[in-house]
Amino acid sequence: MSEEDEAGPDLSDGVRVSDLPLGALVGGSIDGKAIVLANDGGRVCAFSGECTHLGAPLVNGLIVDGQMRCPWHHARFSLDTGEAVGAPAFKPLTPYQVERQGDRYFVTKPADRPDSGQPILGTLPPVVIIGAGAAGFACAELLSRSGYGSSVTVISADPDPPYDRTICSKQYLIGQSTRDDCFLEGVNFPAGEGAALKISRSVKSIDLAAKQVGLEDGERISFGSLVLATGAEPKRPDIPGFDLPNVHVLRTLRDADAIIAAASKGKRAAIIGASFIGLEAAASLRQREVEVDVVASDAIPLEKILGSAVGTMIRHVHESKDVRFHLGRRPVSFDGRTLKLDDGSQLEVDFIVAGLGVTPRTQLAENAGLAIAPREQGGGIVVNERLETSVPDVYAIGDVANYPDPYANRSIRVEHWVHAQRQGQHVARVLMGEDAGYSDLPFFWSAHFDTGLLYLGHADKPSVPGVAGSIEEQNFVARYAGKGGDRAVVTCNRDKTALEIEAIWERSGTPAA
Ligand SMILES: Cc1cc2nc3c(=O)[nH]c(=O)nc-3n(C[C@H](O)[C@H](O)[C@H](O)COP(=O)(O)OP(=O)(O)OC[C@H]3O[C@@H](n4cnc5c(N)ncnc54)[C@H](O)[C@@H]3O)c2cc1C
Ligand code: FES
């Protein structure tokens, strides 16, 4: 492949007008830098061509309603300014100047960023955000980026500054990313003139009458608005020996550090639970040359979410890399070395990673008297369409929130990174005066060795009504029908299709089967 093929055509030589029809994206380069040229309803604009999240080529994305959407994890960029208006990207794209001469568009040089119209500095009644995970970070970041950072205090029990939890089971656990790569950077937050961040500090109580939170060390902080972004806690099974130090869970960066340390000393691991986290950890540890046994009560990995055919494909992906499965089995005891299963078999392992799902952290909210959803409805803190709890000026976002999903036509609680970030951004906008309901479709991705899946929508107890493409060849769209009106799709190697389906569902207001 020539250099030009890799970088795309040199856009200073121009692109034929006929090669950029309405709605099209064309990739190329200027001075060796990737550029994407967009025709948004006749308005032609150009931006740096790599997504500011993890560098996806935006030329493979989609234009929707004046925004460009990234093919990998669906970040959204304004085509007016290049601003990252929808997580998981936070930093803007660089705009470039475009000139039309005759029948060609020429991209010339970086353009001045247009004024986004945001206030330079503003104040709000004090905002306290509990938790600096996906949701809390995104809320604080957008408030900081918009000039309101001085009104915001974020309190985080985690000893590390905000980081990308998703790479803790993938790139960081594999060894492809360094620890420093894990930390999140926004505009003005956590560095810059943004919100105050208190890490290693835990909120112990909420006094709704006094509008104050109480910290473990006795400090009390007053709020005008309170945002609960406390996330979820990994389940620790009540099995003899599962309190030993070589039994790990994987929720935090420190958990990932501990597993990496265990993998550097030990050569055999058991993963308990064929969950997304469990299987991602299995794949990452195999890539560190650790022998991996997965013990799970399910007959087929991920069947409850993805159905039997896709679950079986994922199993084969793992088995092709020598992951061993013990399906339909439960662990009964561990003595630090020998893991006994319920059929009497035993595994000799150096360490265990339990990936058995999570429980929403609702204790603070419960103690304060906020409405909590019943467990059979997903649990979590009940919020309305603005993500406000049963008490005015108190919001809940992310894994801990049970919110009315307009697509499923009922309240659900989901545990996805982008969803948590978008809810954080939504509440930031509500606090800045926007009066809209949250209406983003749930979305997540998962990666197993070289196989990536994108999931859109929500389907409880899914059946698979249709598959386009080939699951075996890992090139497909599978559509799911769930309980009531639930609908979801999973795509593999069809990133653009996932974006197109998302846009169609958003426009119709319903995920048609
Ligand atoms: C290893 C791993 C990989 C994942 N990969 C993916 C993926 O690929 N794609 C995807 O869509 N999703 C993924 N997820 C799920 C995703 O990370 C979560 O849905 C998301 O982090 C939820 O964000 P949150 O802000 O609601 O909660 P969290 O990110 O859990 O943050 C909650 C924060 O609140 C803090 N906190 C809790 N209680 C208190 C208190 N009392 N005082 C102060 N602070 C408190 C905690 O310390 C924590 O930092 C992954 C999860 C894990 C663990
Ligand atoms: S690379 Fe663009 S959203 Fe992740």
Side-chain angles (χ1 to χ4, degrees), residues 191-245:
E193 300 296 306
L197 172 65
K198 293 173 186 278
I199 59 169
S200 280
R201 306 285 296 279
S202 225
V203 174
K204 211 174 145 217
S205 61
I206 302 169
D207 183 339
L208 290 172
K211 287 200 142 190
Q212 285 187 333
V213 295
L215 274 58
E216 234 164 26
D217 54 16
E219 186 181 353
R220 293 179 76 79
I221 302 177
S222 298
F223 62 83
S225 304
L226 178 65
V227 183
L228 287 150
T230 48
E233 192 72 35
K235 291 181 188 161
R236 289 172 193 266
D238 186 16
I239 294 170
F242 271 55
D243 51 356
L244 288 168

Side-chain angles (χ1 to χ4, degrees), residues 493-507:
N493 284 315
R494 297 209 180 180
D495 295 353
K496 181 105 176 240
T497 310
L499 283 173
E500 287 164 351
I501 293 172
E502 182 181 62
I504 291 167
W505 285 4
E506 282 172 357
R507 275 195 198 113

